[in-house]
Amino acid sequence: MAIITGSYGGVGTCFADIQTGKCSDLILVGRYEARLNVQKESVEKKCHVTVQTIALHHKQCEKVGKNRIK
C-alpha cells in the first residue's frame, strides 16, 4: 500500500502511475474530491487494486493540529 499526496498533479501523478504499475493498493490525498474520484476510477480500471481517497487542504491540517495542542 502507498499513500500519495498531491496525487493528481505533476510528480504525484507520476508516483501514482508507478504504484499502479506495481498493482499495489493506494491512498490518494489531494485538495479536490472530484479530481481524486476521477483519478481513483482511472487507477482502478488500469489495475485491479483498492484505491481510497482523502480530500484535504493543508490549511485544514493546521487547524486540526492547533486544536489538538490545546
Side-chain angles (χ1 to χ4, degrees), residues 14-31:
C14 292
F15 283 126
D17 289 343
I18 289 168
Q19 289 301 320
T20 300
K22 295 179 180 181
C23 292
S24 64
D25 293 340
L26 300 175
I27 299 173
L28 304 176
V29 182
R31 292 182 189 180

Side-chain angles (χ1 to χ4, degrees), residues 40-59:
K40 174 183 175 174
E41 290 176 16
S42 174
V43 169
E44 288 177 334
K45 286 180 184 178
K46 285 181 185 178
C47 190
H48 301 286
V49 296
T50 300
V51 178
Q52 300 293 321
T53 62
I54 301 172
L56 184 68
H57 191 279
H58 66 87
K59 291 192 180 205

Side-chain angles (χ1 to χ4, degrees), residues 3-5 7 15 26 39 41 49 61 64 66:
I3 299 173
I4 302 173
T5 60
S7 64
F15 283 126
L26 300 175
Q39 186 179 29
E41 290 176 16
V49 296
C61 295
V64 169
K66 287 179 184 176

